[in-house]
Amino acid sequence: MNDQNSNSLSASLMQGQEQADAHQQDVSRDLKRQSKEGYSATDDEPQKHDGNLCEHDDGIHIKPLLKDVGETLTSEDIEQHKHWMKHALMLADKAESIGEVPVGACVVLNGELIGEGYNTPITDNDPSAHAELLAVKEAALRVQNYRLIDATLYVTLEPCSMCAGMLVHARVKRVVFGAKDAKTGAAGSVMNLLQHPALNHQVEIVSGILADDCANKLSDFFRKRRKEIKAAKKAKKLIESGESD
């Protein structure tokens, strides 16, 4: 590769990284606002659902399938959801420890953990290495079936369209998530692929479980990363100014 092509590739990569960082900053601002206002992915759903949206305590919402209209969460259900969401948050910490965006996910079947994962797209150079996808892969291997009938996936951040499509293919029964993603969320924020009427499987959605904890973890991560980037730029300028002297 000649110098001109090499410089062009480097410039393209830098531009792509800057765009990605800008998007992550937008997400971080949305998460801060979410944490302050205490809303979840189903808060913005229109009233036309006519009872298909049931509100519960502490900002937790359940959006069941049409056939299950009127279903409610018991206190026992909520405690169980919180238990597994705490596990997903622990997995998110593992992602953060290797420099990844802190998102964790786990799959539970009949009260048993069968799969878990956390973000590793940067580490693995794999844009598909999202927490949900890795957790479902592990769960499918565990049960030796590509269908995860009656399983529940817990994830700290609302699934994107890629993960939502995968969850539909896996026939997951329920998705429980903490923080809303107003930019790429595909469980009610930007779109709702998990319950799209044209698809051959719809997934029950429960949102707002430990939403503040999930949102704050992401906001804190991006805040820290912005400080690190700013410090690195400042150090670079000092070095460059010293060399020019």
Side-chain angles (χ1 to χ4, degrees), residues 87-157:
H87 185 76
L89 282 165
M90 180 273 292
L91 294 167
D93 288 337
K94 291 186 177 182
E96 183 173 8
S97 70
I98 58 174
E100 299 278 0
V101 176
V103 177
C106 59
V107 180
V108 177
L109 179 64
N110 299 325
E112 179 185 357
L113 178 68
I114 61 172
E116 60 183 32
Y118 51 87
N119 274 8
T120 60
I122 300 171
T123 304
D124 295 338
N125 294 312
D126 181 359
S128 71
H130 288 196
E132 302 97 310
L133 190 143
L134 298 177
V136 166
K137 277 188 173 182
E138 184 175 286
L141 286 173
R142 175 74 178 275
V143 301
Q144 288 295 288
N145 196 326
Y146 75 113
R147 303 295 198 198
L148 297 177
I149 309 297
D150 292 329
T152 296
L153 176 117
Y154 293 87
V155 61
T156 55
L157 181 66

Side-chain angles (χ1 to χ4, degrees), residues 187-219:
S189 294
V190 176
M191 64 191 81
N192 189 353
L193 287 181
L194 292 177
Q195 296 184 337
H196 197 288
L199 299 181
N200 60 353
H201 177 71
Q202 287 78 40
V203 183
E204 181 184 308
I205 300 169
V206 178
S207 63
I209 301 294
L210 300 182
D212 287 346
D213 292 339
C214 296
N216 289 336
K217 183 175 293 294
L218 286 157
S219 296

Side-chain angles (χ1 to χ4, degrees), residues 11-32:
S12 298
L13 290 172
M14 289 180 64
Q15 183 179 8
Q17 184 60 50
E18 289 174 355
Q19 291 175 344
D21 288 341
H23 168 70
Q24 296 293 6
Q25 290 177 17
D26 288 341
V27 172
S28 180
R29 284 192 290 270
D30 290 332
L31 289 168
K32 289 179 185 177

Side-chain angles (χ1 to χ4, degrees), residues 146-240:
Y146 75 113
R147 303 295 198 198
L148 297 177
I149 309 297
D150 292 329
T152 296
L153 176 117
Y154 293 87
V155 61
T156 55
L157 181 66
E158 181 180 359
C160 68
S161 56
M162 175 185 72
C163 292
M166 176 272 300
L167 292 166
V168 170
H169 282 299
R171 302 295 191 268
V172 169
K173 178 181 180 179
R174 180 184 302 106
V175 168
V176 181
F177 71 86
K180 173 183 178 180
D181 188 344
K183 298 296 181 181
T184 63
S189 294
V190 176
M191 64 191 81
N192 189 353
L193 287 181
L194 292 177
Q195 296 184 337
H196 197 288
L199 299 181
N200 60 353
H201 177 71
Q202 287 78 40
V203 183
E204 181 184 308
I205 300 169
V206 178
S207 63
I209 301 294
L210 300 182
D212 287 346
D213 292 339
C214 296
N216 289 336
K217 183 175 293 294
L218 286 157
S219 296
D220 291 345
F221 170 80
F222 290 125
R223 186 184 303 110
K224 180 181 178 182
R225 191 162 79 169
R226 286 194 298 272
K227 288 182 179 179
E228 291 172 347
I229 292 173
K230 185 176 181 180
K233 288 182 178 179
K234 185 177 181 180
K236 183 179 179 181
K237 287 182 179 179
L238 288 173
I239 293 173
E240 290 175 346

